[in-house]
Amino acid sequence: MPFVLGLNAVFHDPAAALVVDGEIVAAAEEERFSRRKHGKRPVPFSTWELPEQAARWCLHQAGITPDEISAVAYSYDPSLVASQVDADITADGWEGLRTLYAERAPRFLSTALPGLDPAAVRFVPHHVAHAASAHLAAPWPTSSVLVLDGRGEQASHLAGRGVDGELEILAAQSLPHSLGLLYEDVTAHLGFMRSSDEYKVMALASYGKPTFLDELRRAIRATDDGGFVVEPLDLGTFAKARPADGPWEPEHADLASSVQTRLEEVILDLARWLHARTGDANLTMAGGVALNCVANARLAREGPFERIWVQPAAGDAGTALGSALHVARAMGDQPSPMTSAALGREWSEDEIEAWLTMAAVPFERPPDVAEAAAEVLANDGIVAWFQGRSEYGPRALGNRSLLADPRHEANVERLNDVKGREQFRPVAPMVLAERAGEIFVGHLPSPYMLFIHDVRPEWRERIPAVVHVDGTARAQTVDRAESPLVARLLEAFARRTGVPVLVNTSLNTAGRPIVDDPRDALECFGSAAVDVLAIGPFIVRRAALFAGSRT
Ligand SMILES: [Fe+2]
């Protein structure tokens, strides 16, 4: 029985995944264990840091020890870089150090996971890992594949075709040209955190106009070979650099809008080039740029492909799964499609009860936690919702969520206050899949929150908390068969309010990773203005907590 452990460690978002007999058994990001957002700093000096805790948990989940691992798939191949690295690794530039750390990873791994044979480690090219996370995990055996990120070993893009699991690479764009790094530069220029806050630029873009589009069209353009050019840009000529706590000027939103628009245009050009060569109906995507749900929606609307599937862990965390799937297939397994992002840790009722008892918080066990939570939500309470396995990837999809009533516009500010984040940030709706079309227009179903949708005009007034300034929402559709408990919660809320929609944002506060274990949930609940924690079958009420503290 082949056990393949996949690891992402090189750039950011370290993660581990385990594939057993071609089945995805477990996948989790290191940040959920270490409680350090994004796992580590995205600098070459941190390349040595491995997702040790996530890897150990993957093995525990399968009940195996390190010596039973058939192969470790590491989502970066240092041999693709080594020939170009200066022999003096102390020289200026970081490639030498990054390459050395990656080359030594097998030995380091064998100390982190005693018993592991260093020879079991296989290096998988970064973009092959991203591509595998898309075409091998998608619901179709054959698809065109588009990967776009900041960078891998030498490239920032891959266009190809997966046919029955076999990847044919049709194009790859070499560095320094990179759409992902350009977007990171803009993120940093606007005072946000690079490699982390790119989605804030996307949200800010809605407030601006693409006034710099002409200049960007000259500098950033697709080429005839399926790649693209990104000429060096002085972003300061468009908008002055904003310090993290600096004031907002209209030019900042205009820059965000211009770059976002140009990104969408170039992605459309890349997709058209790819489609012209493959003629496929299906497109699969991965790489950090594929988390741009505004661009994805435009690609679905205007692009040449009939269907699009985006890896929910599209960023580098997803390469842990992709590299594992790639190696599992190379060893003769036929990978099974990914049907859910709920691949992380979970706790039994007894374990959760033990945590609550240890914390000495008053809790109750209602007949149905979905009904009890719906009652609180319908009365405009905020609910921290902790159920089942935690999600792999950056989105909370109903297992580690903060929920609220979408009928009250003030809930945007309330949630952003709870989470300590900027007020221009939209919050997203979850909706019963079978009723999504009544309310939202766009790419449906949308189980992973990777596309934005237009909210039908007659619904905009009814669910103002989830409608962004431009009339859109990033809807997540909830399928009854895949998420029965969340579907029941939405039904219970709809029965009380006539609205089959809830506000869903991730269960964390600013700068912290999403809650993963019951203690994280209790810590988050204890430090934020949340009315109820619905954890497993139990309910913890803030009012009862305070009442208890006075006795
Ligand atoms: Fe990547």
Side-chain angles (χ1 to χ4, degrees):
M1 186 181 274
F3 295 97
V4 182
L5 178 69
L7 297 180
N8 172 56
V10 170
F11 296 107
H12 41 74
D13 297 303
L18 189 70
V19 172
V20 180
D21 273 346
E23 293 280 338
I24 305 165
V25 168
E29 285 149 271
E30 184 73 1
E31 65 161 27
R32 308 294 163 87
F33 299 81
S34 69
R35 310 310 299 157
R36 189 179 178 202
K37 185 94 170 161
H38 297 297
K40 62 179 178 180
R41 292 284 298 132
V43 294
F45 199 72
S46 70
T47 298
W48 65 271
E49 290 187 54
L50 297 166
E52 294 178 46
Q53 296 182 70
R56 278 193 211 103
W57 169 75
C58 282
L59 302 187
H60 175 76
Q61 185 73 3
I64 61 169
T65 49
D67 58 301
E68 294 175 86
I69 297 172
S70 317
V72 177
Y74 182 94
S75 62
Y76 188 90
D77 185 351
S79 72
L80 297 176
V81 192
S83 63
Q84 301 187 15
V85 169
D86 195 316
D88 176 11
I89 60 156
T90 62
D92 283 350
W94 290 100
E95 286 301 323
L97 198 57
R98 179 188 283 120
T99 303
L100 176 71
Y101 283 152
E103 286 171 339
R104 297 288 166 87
R107 276 161 53 189
F108 184 35
L109 248 181
S110 68
T111 61
L113 299 173
L116 176 85
D117 179 2
V121 179
R122 303 192 187 186
F123 295 114
V124 179
H126 187 73
H127 290 98
V128 170
H130 269 309
S133 79
H135 79 95
L136 288 178
W140 320 297
T142 295
S143 63
S144 297
V145 190
L146 188 59
V147 175
L148 286 164
D149 67 0
R151 61 163 293 181
E153 295 87 354
Q154 300 268 36
S156 68
H157 150 267
L158 179 155
R161 188 169 194 233
V163 179
D164 295 327
E166 195 69 36
L167 178 69
E168 179 191 3
I169 298 173
L170 298 170
Q173 180 56 55
S174 300
L175 295 171
H177 306 283
S178 169
L179 295 171
L181 291 180
L182 168 70
Y183 214 90
E184 285 186 19
D185 288 346
V186 173
T187 302
H189 192 77
L190 293 175
F192 300 128
M193 191 185 288
R194 175 187 291 275
S195 291
S196 171
D197 291 348
E198 281 64 31
Y199 56 105
K200 296 182 184 178
V201 177
M202 189 183 71
L204 186 66
S206 307
Y207 290 85
K209 294 194 166 50
T211 44
F212 311 118
L213 197 51
D214 287 346
E215 292 94 321
L216 293 183
R217 280 177 174 156
R218 280 193 291 276
I220 310 161
R221 55 195 187 274
T223 49
D224 293 340
D225 57 0
F228 51 84
V229 166
V230 179
E231 288 173 2
L233 282 166
D234 179 0
L235 297 174
T237 62
F238 304 119
K240 56 182 172 298
R242 178 187 163 268
D245 54 355
W248 289 107
E249 305 293 342
E251 65 191 24
H252 293 128
D254 290 344
L255 174 60
S257 171
S258 304
V259 171
Q260 173 66 30
T261 305
R262 188 57 188 146
L263 175 74
E264 294 164 17
E265 291 175 347
V266 173
I267 290 175
L268 274 168
D269 286 342
L270 296 174
R272 290 184 187 117
W273 183 92
L274 180 57
H275 184 262
R277 267 135 201 94
T278 66
D280 288 329
N282 301 327
L283 174 68
T284 54
M285 293 175 76
V289 178
L291 290 171
N292 192 306
C293 52
V294 177
N296 293 350
R298 185 160 174 197
L299 183 58
R301 196 169 62 238
E302 298 177 31
F305 293 95
E306 285 174 38
R307 289 174 292 271
I308 304 179
W309 189 85
V310 183
Q311 163 61 240
D316 274 2
T319 63
L321 176 61
S323 59
L325 290 170
H326 175 80
V327 168
R329 189 179 178 281
M331 295 174 76
D333 288 338
Q334 193 55 49
S336 302
M338 178 176 180
T339 55
S340 167
L343 296 166
R345 289 190 289 178
E346 70 177 332
W347 281 264
S348 69
E349 290 182 9
D350 287 350
E351 288 170 320
I352 292 171
E353 190 167 2
W355 277 102
L356 295 173
T357 304
M358 190 174 76
V361 294
F363 62 93
E364 41 190 281
R365 182 180 183 135
D368 183 347
V369 71
E371 291 288 342
E375 184 66 24
V376 173
L377 290 162
N379 287 310
D380 205 22
I382 293 181
V383 172
W385 180 254
F386 181 108
Q387 304 292 341
R389 299 183 72 169
S390 59
E391 295 94 343
Y392 181 46
R395 306 272 174 261
L397 300 166
N399 291 8
R400 300 288 186 275
S401 289
L402 208 50
L403 307 173
D405 187 337
R407 296 174 299 164
H408 310 297
E409 196 170 1
N411 277 343
V412 183
E413 200 174 329
R414 206 167 146 210
L415 283 172
N416 280 335
D417 279 348
V418 164
K419 298 188 56 142
R421 56 183 219 176
E422 300 87 349
Q423 289 301 340
F424 66 82
R425 300 270 302 282
V427 288
M430 52 164 57
V431 57
L432 274 174
E434 66 264 31
R435 295 196 58 188
E438 284 172 43
I439 304 164
F440 303 104
V441 182
H443 188 272
L444 295 171
S446 178
Y448 300 128
M449 286 173 81
L450 288 164
F451 297 85
I452 57 151
H453 304 84
D454 286 320
V455 182
R456 290 190 188 276
E458 64 271 26
W459 274 90
R460 288 181 192 173
E461 301 271 291
R462 295 186 67 184
I463 49 171
V466 293
V467 184
H468 197 29
V469 62
D470 55 4
T472 64
R474 189 181 59 192
Q476 178 205 347
T477 56
V478 175
D479 184 279
R480 200 177 299 278
E482 282 161 21
S483 304
L485 180 63
V486 181
R488 237 177 42 241
L489 172 69
L490 284 162
E491 264 175 349
F493 183 75
R495 213 180 313 117
R496 287 167 172 82
T497 63
V499 175
V501 178
L502 283 170
V503 179
N504 168 32
T505 180
S506 54
L507 182 52
N508 61 331
T509 49
R512 293 166 190 269
I514 298 177
V515 158
D516 206 73
D517 74 15
R519 180 163 59 188
D520 306 333
L522 283 162
E523 286 177 354
C524 184
F525 180 66
S527 65
V530 176
D531 298 295
V532 156
L533 169 63
I535 180 164
F538 307 106
I539 291 275
V540 186
R541 297 182 192 274
R542 176 162 299 279
L545 207 60
F546 287 138
S549 70
R550 281 198 295 267
T551 57

